[in-house]
């Protein structure tokens, strides 16, 4: 076997190992397809459900809305005068789109310094931690996907102040997140994943 051929085989193998990093599963409208393509997702979702009590479909629907299951997702850059980059609109990163400050709070209280927003396991654990605190501070049940999403997006204090009430687009999206959770739940039941 020539050394060129060996090098090509090695490059193909290495490329196939990393090709999923940062990318979304192929069929985001089918919960069974998502967890079949990425079994580590289902393990993370179920671990979060066991630890925090957050239903798997709620976690999935919120991740869909926040990052479309793209591990290294970030908000788009903003531009001055349409061409001069001035940074991103927020520090959100990863599956959960956790902001720097909130992620640091999670690391201090729960996840540890090694927690990574681009890890599905850490991102779902963060979401469970955050949503459980939302229950304590606002009374919104874990299974109330719509209101959990509103509190997740606007923050717990923003939710309590009702900032979301002045955002018809956010109310619409929260309804879409809740409907997606219902759809994901039916799908996961049909394929025996929950």
């Amino acid at each position: 076997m020539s050394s060129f051929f060996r090098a090509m085989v090695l490059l193909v193998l290495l490329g196939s190992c990393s090709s999923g990093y940062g990318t979304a599963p192929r069929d985001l409208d089918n919960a069974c397809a998502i967890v079949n393509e990425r079994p580590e997702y289902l393990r993370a979702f179920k671990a979060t459900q066991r630890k925090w009590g957050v239903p798997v479909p709620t976690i999935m629907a919120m991740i869909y809305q926040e990052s479309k299951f793209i591990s290294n997702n970030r908000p788009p850059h903003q531009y001055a005068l349409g061409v001069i980059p001035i940074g991103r609109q927020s520090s959100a990163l990863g599956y959960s789109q956790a902001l720097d400050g909130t992620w640091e709070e999670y690391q201090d209280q729960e996840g540890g310094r090694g927690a990574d927003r681009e890890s599905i396991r850490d991102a779902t654990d963060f979401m469970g931690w955050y949503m459980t605190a939302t229950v304590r501070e606002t009374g919104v049940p874990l299974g109330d996907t719509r209101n959990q999403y509103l509190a997740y997006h606007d923050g717990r204090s923003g939710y309590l102040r009702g900032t979301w009430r002045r955002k018809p687009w956010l109310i619409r999206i929260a309804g879409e997140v809740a409907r997606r959770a219902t759809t994901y739940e039916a799908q996961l039941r049909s394929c025996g994943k929950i």
Side-chain angles (χ1 to χ4, degrees), residues 18-52:
S18 64
S19 63
Y21 180 77
T23 63
R26 286 185 292 277
D27 186 358
L28 297 181
D29 292 325
N30 184 324
C32 296
I34 292 169
V35 300
N36 285 334
E37 183 179 337
R38 308 273 171 93
E40 69 276 14
Y41 285 11
L42 185 59
R43 288 190 295 273
F45 302 149
K46 286 187 172 184
T48 297
Q49 183 173 336
R50 280 189 304 275
K51 182 175 179 180
W52 300 105

Side-chain angles (χ1 to χ4, degrees), residues 97-143:
Q97 290 294 284
L99 300 172
D100 288 350
T102 313
W103 187 260
E104 289 166 8
E105 184 182 341
Y106 162 73
Q107 287 179 310
D108 290 343
Q109 292 181 14
E110 184 66 33
R113 285 286 144 207
D116 181 359
R117 286 182 276 187
E118 295 180 40
S119 158
I120 191 67
R121 192 163 192 81
D122 291 340
T124 58
D125 189 62
F126 164 82
M127 293 175 83
W129 167 83
Y130 190 91
M131 293 169 71
T132 301
T134 298
V135 173
R136 281 193 311 271
E137 292 181 32
T138 68
V140 174
L142 291 173

Side-chain angles (χ1 to χ4, degrees), residues 1-175:
M1 185 185 284
S2 74
S3 58
F4 174 76
F5 182 71
R6 281 188 212 140
M8 293 306 296
V9 169
L10 181 61
L11 284 174
V12 168
L13 287 173
L14 288 174
S16 68
C17 290
S18 64
S19 63
Y21 180 77
T23 63
R26 286 185 292 277
D27 186 358
L28 297 181
D29 292 325
N30 184 324
C32 296
I34 292 169
V35 300
N36 285 334
E37 183 179 337
R38 308 273 171 93
E40 69 276 14
Y41 285 11
L42 185 59
R43 288 190 295 273
F45 302 149
K46 286 187 172 184
T48 297
Q49 183 173 336
R50 280 189 304 275
K51 182 175 179 180
W52 300 105
V54 181
V56 168
T58 296
I59 298 166
M60 290 183 72
M62 288 177 64
I63 289 175
Y64 172 89
Q65 183 58 44
E66 290 298 293
S67 67
K68 302 296 187 277
F69 291 91
I70 298 171
S71 66
N72 58 355
N73 200 356
R74 289 181 176 273
H77 282 283
Q78 293 182 312
Y79 296 89
L81 304 174
V83 294
I84 303 167
I86 57 171
R88 299 184 189 276
Q89 61 192 63
S90 80
S91 63
L93 171 65
Y95 292 107
S96 63
Q97 290 294 284
L99 300 172
D100 288 350
T102 313
W103 187 260
E104 289 166 8
E105 184 182 341
Y106 162 73
Q107 287 179 310
D108 290 343
Q109 292 181 14
E110 184 66 33
R113 285 286 144 207
D116 181 359
R117 286 182 276 187
E118 295 180 40
S119 158
I120 191 67
R121 192 163 192 81
D122 291 340
T124 58
D125 189 62
F126 164 82
M127 293 175 83
W129 167 83
Y130 190 91
M131 293 169 71
T132 301
T134 298
V135 173
R136 281 193 311 271
E137 292 181 32
T138 68
V140 174
L142 291 173
D144 182 349
T145 305
R146 177 187 178 274
N147 285 299
Q148 278 285 347
Y149 184 74
L150 290 170
Y152 192 82
H153 186 278
D154 271 17
R156 293 183 290 266
S157 61
Y159 176 82
L160 289 170
R161 285 194 317 273
T163 56
W164 54 273
R165 288 188 178 96
R166 295 183 300 278
K167 301 174 183 174
W169 60 269
L170 179 58
I171 295 168
R172 177 184 51 79
I173 288 172

